[in-house]
Amino acid sequence: QVRLSESGGGSAQTGGSLRLSCAASGLTARSRRMAWFRQPLEKGIGSREVVAAIESDGPTTYADSVKGRFTISLDFAGNKQYLQMNDLKPEDSAIYYCAAGRPRSANPLSTSSYVYVGPGTQVTVAS
């Protein structure tokens, strides 16, 4: 059974930083494309966007809204992935979800490219 579990969410001030973690079980990060989605608190599931994705051999893709501020990374030994978020802005406030999909399949910034999604962790950025 595949399970993705996020942690590290919380509150931050504008310009601050947070680091999200995702522990995976039932699959290996080495065999998957991993990603982070986010969904604004006041909006529905249709508003989800992929903010960062990473292939097991390293290539990364970022949404324009987070380029230069967010960094996605993998820890194969721990079967985890991370999202380092710097220079946070109020518009980054959202539920952040860990996701896993098939490697190099379709568009890494499309939520439909991912099969498994965690329960989410909330990030709130105060202005």
Side-chain angles (χ1 to χ4, degrees):
Q1 182 178 358
V2 174
R3 181 175 180 180
L4 301 174
S5 180
E6 305 91 344
S7 61
S11 299
Q13 296 293 318
T14 295
S17 298
L18 286 172
R19 188 191 194 207
L20 304 183
S21 301
C22 171
S25 61
L27 59 81
T28 57
R30 193 181 296 276
S31 65
R32 297 281 179 172
R33 173 193 287 157
M34 303 297 291
W36 290 92
F37 298 176
R38 69 183 179 187
Q39 177 178 335
L41 297 177
E42 69 279 10
K43 296 185 178 179
I45 192 171
S47 67
R48 283 185 179 182
E49 64 168 338
V50 180
V51 295
I54 185 168
E55 301 287 351
S56 59
D57 59 347
T60 56
T61 306
Y62 294 95
D64 288 343
S65 58
V66 306
K67 278 181 183 176
R69 301 189 297 121
F70 289 12
T71 303
I72 187 171
S73 60
L74 294 173
D75 169 12
F76 291 136
N79 211 33
K80 294 182 177 180
Q81 71 157 336
Y82 302 97
L83 184 68
Q84 178 66 43
M85 305 186 294
N86 297 329
D87 190 22
L88 284 164
K89 304 176 180 181
E91 53 263 41
D92 294 320
S93 297
I95 306 292
Y96 283 74
Y97 300 89
C98 174
R102 289 176 297 173
R104 304 191 184 282
S105 61
N107 181 2
L109 292 182
S110 170
T111 57
S112 62
S113 296
Y114 301 92
V115 177
Y116 304 106
V117 183
T121 186
Q122 182 170 326
V123 171
T124 303
V125 183
S127 57

